Amino acid sequence: MTQAAHQIPDWQDTPPEDNPLPHNLDAEKALLGAVLVNNRAYEAVEEILVPEDFSVQEHAQVFAACRTLIEKGQRADPITLKRFFENENSLTDVGGPAYLTDLAASAVTVINAREYGRIVRDTALQRDLILFGQNLASEVRAADLETTSDQLLEQAERGLTDLGARVSGDIPDQTRQLNALQTHLEARWAGTEPPGMMTGIWALDRILNGLKRQALVIIAGRPSMGKTVLALNIADRDKESDKGHAIFFSLEQSAEEINKRRIATRANVDHDILERAEMPDDETRQKIYAAQQDMRTAPITIDDTATTLAQIRSRSRRLKRKHGKLRCIVIDYLQLIDGTRTRANDGRVQEITMITRGLKLLAKELDCPVIALSQLSRQVENREPPRPQMSDLRESGSIEQDADVIILLYRPEYYLERQKPQPKPKESDQGFMDRCADHDAMLAKMRHKAECIVDKMRGGRTGTAHIAFYGARMRFADRIKDQQEELGQ
């Protein structure tokens, strides 16, 4: 084939100034303005953009500075960026304070930020493809006789694969996955790595082998069963084996009330002492002060202001960036999350479906267990005994499907206390007294007893953990006698 017969694209021989590379300055300015006005816009594009995607150096520097400030938990706006670039001695490189203010004036809404981000990314990929083609053409022309066509094709394919990864993400590498699994198993067998995040309750951990990373865990029960107490006991632990930060999203109770419960648990004092008007004794006060001091440095955040899945997701990501690793995320409780209805006729079941799937994806993304508390329907109390079942979950379809672990709480003591015998017609006094004595004996037998019914365990076994509940001190614990019997002691 002659050189004349092989047509070379016109742009290869066109001077750059006459045929500029693709770019969209309006989209870049609008996106940067949105980030400067509302930093939530950054979260819409953080996964698809890097500073090098911007066509001019000034915009790349501004985006990189915004990323640095936001990932440190700081605000990025024209004022903070001015100070940032002054510290870097590069304020003039980005056009000075006037240009930063001009960018903020170019803002679009956060809703449109991701679309503008796609435009910026797409034009960046177009530039990369053109430059890749130009470089490839130059290398092919300059190739010596020892370079085969297969080698040139392999080089071209490798370059295109790298560009494609920008769009679709890297294809998982099976060898790397299996090597990671082998390392994980060997560490577990050697005892240097726990199988999952331990709950601190031996009977429950014996069934679960800890809560696995990326698992969606549902703790469900009727009111007053102790769901919040159990979740808080699991999250608010300072054990060396449970490294990482915990987040407790309380949609029902205030942070003050949650922290009172933490104090009762840590100080081992009755919760109602913290509600009384009178001063506790010196010993109790010292326990409370010591618990408060420990709580100041405890690796847990209590958030009582997040109400939507988007807020929970955004704040969890920020805390992950801040602390490096999350131990667990707790949501109290699932049915109180405000869902986003995509259509006007969507019902609550569709919302719960979106929420549970969103929580499962969050667990995978942040590589930690997400523990969501859930209410059970009243039908539990229509059976005798009122022991819960998985079908009692409200809007249960998506919850049962998406959850990796479902734990149902049952405290027979709670129901017995509300089933005090009442005199029957024509019943003798002695008969009524005998029934009252039987009831009191049964109540004494059930005092502090609780059941954690593991009704679903993806990839594991189910079972019931018989444990103790000390409501006054906001604590679940093992029943030592039962534990010793199981261990043969």
Side-chain angles (χ1 to χ4, degrees), residues 255 394 446:
R394 288 183 179 174
M446 294 297 171

Side-chain angles (χ1 to χ4, degrees), residues 211-224:
L211 302 178
K212 306 300 187 293
R213 299 194 311 270
Q214 304 185 9
L216 175 58
V217 180
I218 302 295
I219 297 178
R222 289 292 295 156
S224 300

Side-chain angles (χ1 to χ4, degrees), residues 259-298:
N259 282 321
K260 285 180 182 177
R261 290 171 175 245
R262 295 175 65 203
I263 290 172
T265 303
R266 285 172 171 263
N268 198 27
V269 299
D270 285 357
H271 178 263
D272 65 357
I273 290 175
L274 304 171
E275 304 291 347
R276 298 175 191 164
E278 66 265 22
M279 179 76 74
D281 59 66
D282 290 344
E283 181 181 355
T284 301
R285 249 191 353 268
Q286 290 305 315
K287 288 182 179 180
I288 292 172
Y289 294 152
Q292 287 179 302
Q293 192 61 33
D294 288 343
M295 287 163 56
R296 293 180 190 277
T297 57

Side-chain angles (χ1 to χ4, degrees), residues 127-147:
R127 292 194 300 272
D128 289 343
L129 281 169
I130 291 172
L131 294 173
F132 170 76
Q134 291 175 338
N135 292 333
L136 181 62
S138 298
E139 290 173 2
V140 170
R141 286 172 176 168
D144 55 32
L145 295 177
E146 295 180 359
T147 304

